[in-house]
């Protein structure tokens, strides 16, 4: 019986993927690339379970390849929430870096346990993924001289098709899907509720509302806001006229207005403009207010 003392090829791949994921998440210049998502999914959905399976079942006769592959997903889905639950009771909490470090540490520790347990078995009993032999076989198949020119062309086209399919699948997975583009525009009372609006005022009395905008336009968007009372523009804070809001961000501001004249059922309009297009409002809201003499 032969014994060996080295790092199995599949364990090397798992550890390399974990370290690469840490780099692409923790380095600011790399964290905004789609590769971060492509690497982040396996470390959550597959690698912890695979490392645990490798540690629990080091022999090739313990489980076959399909069982290991399926259980890797199942155990990952079971292990990751347990690690998150444990983090919830620590001072670090459930945040990106604590989760990343915890999952990475668990996966690498399980890989080390799996490596020692496999190396304690005879070589012929150890489970191993034959990456090197598969690569050599594929290389020999591609590099060997074909019987004719047509076979060589077909082989090259087949390899290119497989590579293109893998790249296309990766692009579809990591590229975010854009939904409907729209902007939320709302006004709240001074207490931050959809109630208590200042609709009964005396001349010279200030009214206060909260104006809110939520950007769902999938891009940084510049907005302009204007208040109008019975089609007469009212003065508000100058900084309120132009706001640039990133995608999926919410902006709110308390706004105070003072009606210049008395009247009944006057229409106070809140007009929202987008991308400096002041010809037509993009969204509009209104309140009906009464202003009486002091």
């Amino acid at each position: 019986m032969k014994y060996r003392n080295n790092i199995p090829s599949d364990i090397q791949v798992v550890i390399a993927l974990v370290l690469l994921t840490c780099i692409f998440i923790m380095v600011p210049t790399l964290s905004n690339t789609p590769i971060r998502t492509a690497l982040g999914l396996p470390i959550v959905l597959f690698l912890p379970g695979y490392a645990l399976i490798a540690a629990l079942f080091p022999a090739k006769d313990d489980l076959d390849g399909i069982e290991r592959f399926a259980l890797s997903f199942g155990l990952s889905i079971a292990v990751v929430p347990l690690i998150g639950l444990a983090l919830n009771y620590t001072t670090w909490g459930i945040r990106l870096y604590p989760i990343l470090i915890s999952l990475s540490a668990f996966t690498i520790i399980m890989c080390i346990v799996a490596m020692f347990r496999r190396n304690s078995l005879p070589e012929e009993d150890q489970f191993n993924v034959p990456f090197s032999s598969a690569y050599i076989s594929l290389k020999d198949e591609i590099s060997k001289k074909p019987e004719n020119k047509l076979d060589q062309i077909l082989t090259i086209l087949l390899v290119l098709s497989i590579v293109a399919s893998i790249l296309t699948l990766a692009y579809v997975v990591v590229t975010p899907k854009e939904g409907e583009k729209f902007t939320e525009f709302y006004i709240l009372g001074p207490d931050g509720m959809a109630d208590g609006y200042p609709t009964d005022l005396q001349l010279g009395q200030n009214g206060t509302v909260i104006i809110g905008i939520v950007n769902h336009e999938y891009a940084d968007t510049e907005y302009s806001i204007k208040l109008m009372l019975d089609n007469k523009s009212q003065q508000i804070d100058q900084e309120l006229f132009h706001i640039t809001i990133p995608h999926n961000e919410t902006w709110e501001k308390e706004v105070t207005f003072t009606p210049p004249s008395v009247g009944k059922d006057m229409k106070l309009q809140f007009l929202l403009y987008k991308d400096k297009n002041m010809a037509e409002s993009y969204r509009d809201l209104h309140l009906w207010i009464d202003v009486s003499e002091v």
Side-chain angles (χ1 to χ4, degrees):
M1 294 184 296
K2 294 182 180 180
Y3 293 84
R4 62 181 182 178
N5 187 24
N6 56 16
I7 303 178
S9 56
D10 58 326
I11 299 300
Q12 294 182 36
V13 172
V14 171
I15 294 176
L17 286 175
V18 170
L19 297 178
L20 197 61
T21 303
C22 292
I23 292 173
F24 270 87
I25 290 178
M26 302 183 75
V27 177
T29 56
L30 300 176
S31 61
N32 293 324
T33 63
I35 299 176
R36 168 182 169 169
T37 305
L39 292 172
L41 291 176
I43 201 173
V44 174
L45 299 178
F46 183 78
L47 297 182
Y50 184 88
L52 181 59
I53 288 292
L56 294 175
F57 304 102
K60 63 182 180 181
D61 293 333
D62 292 336
L63 296 171
D64 60 31
I66 296 178
E67 291 174 330
R68 289 178 184 272
F69 185 79
L71 286 174
S72 297
F73 284 102
L75 285 180
S76 293
I77 295 173
V79 167
V80 172
L82 290 177
I83 293 177
L85 181 63
L87 284 174
N88 187 50
Y89 291 98
T90 67
T91 56
W92 304 298
I94 304 177
R95 299 197 303 272
L96 176 60
Y97 286 163
I99 290 175
L100 175 65
I101 294 172
S102 300
L103 289 179
S104 301
F106 174 84
T107 304
I108 292 176
I109 291 172
M110 290 298 103
C111 286
I112 294 173
V113 173
M115 180 183 65
F116 281 105
R117 292 200 67 192
R118 286 189 194 176
N119 288 333
S120 66
L121 298 173
E123 183 176 349
E124 60 271 14
D125 293 337
Q126 298 177 13
F127 173 78
N128 192 32
V129 179
F131 289 118
S132 57
S133 59
Y135 170 75
I136 293 173
S137 176
L138 179 62
K139 181 180 177 181
D140 292 341
E141 184 67 25
I142 294 175
S143 61
K144 74 178 182 179
K145 188 176 181 180
E147 297 179 358
N148 54 57
K149 195 75 171 179
L150 179 60
D151 289 343
Q152 184 179 22
I153 295 174
L154 292 176
T155 301
I156 294 174
L157 289 176
L158 177 61
V159 173
L160 292 177
S161 299
I162 294 173
V163 172
S165 300
I166 294 174
L167 293 176
T168 302
L169 178 61
Y171 175 79
V172 171
V173 170
V174 303
T175 302
K177 313 298 185 298
E178 286 194 7
E180 180 185 357
K181 297 181 179 181
F182 64 98
T183 296
E184 295 182 47
F185 184 44
Y186 58 88
I187 52 176
L188 303 173
D191 296 327
M193 307 292 290
D195 193 12
Y197 297 106
T199 55
D200 291 305
L201 301 171
Q202 292 182 338
L203 186 62
Q205 182 182 1
N206 294 333
T208 301
V209 296
I210 297 174
I211 297 180
I213 303 172
V214 185
N215 180 7
H216 297 291
E217 303 287 347
Y218 289 88
D220 292 356
T221 306
E222 183 175 348
Y223 298 98
S224 301
I225 300 175
K226 181 191 294 185
L227 264 66
M228 296 183 67
L229 180 61
D230 277 352
N231 296 323
K232 296 180 181 179
S233 179
Q234 301 297 301
Q235 295 297 319
I236 56 176
D237 292 344
Q238 188 66 26
E239 63 177 339
L240 192 63
F241 278 95
H242 301 291
I243 313 106
T244 299
I245 305 176
H247 167 64
N248 217 28
E249 292 289 329
T250 300
W251 175 92
E252 286 187 352
K253 183 175 178 61
E254 188 177 271
V255 177
T256 300
F257 60 91
T258 306
S261 58
V262 299
K264 285 281 189 180
D265 293 330
M266 293 191 294
K267 187 177 184 181
L268 175 62
Q269 292 180 283
F270 300 83
L271 304 177
L272 178 69
Y273 301 87
K274 190 179 80 164
D275 296 332
K276 298 182 179 179
N277 179 14
M278 305 299 292
E280 183 179 0
S281 62
Y282 181 57
R283 297 284 188 271
D284 66 88
L285 302 167
H286 65 270
L287 293 174
W288 295 102
I289 64 173
D290 295 331
V291 181
S292 59
E293 293 283 358
V294 177

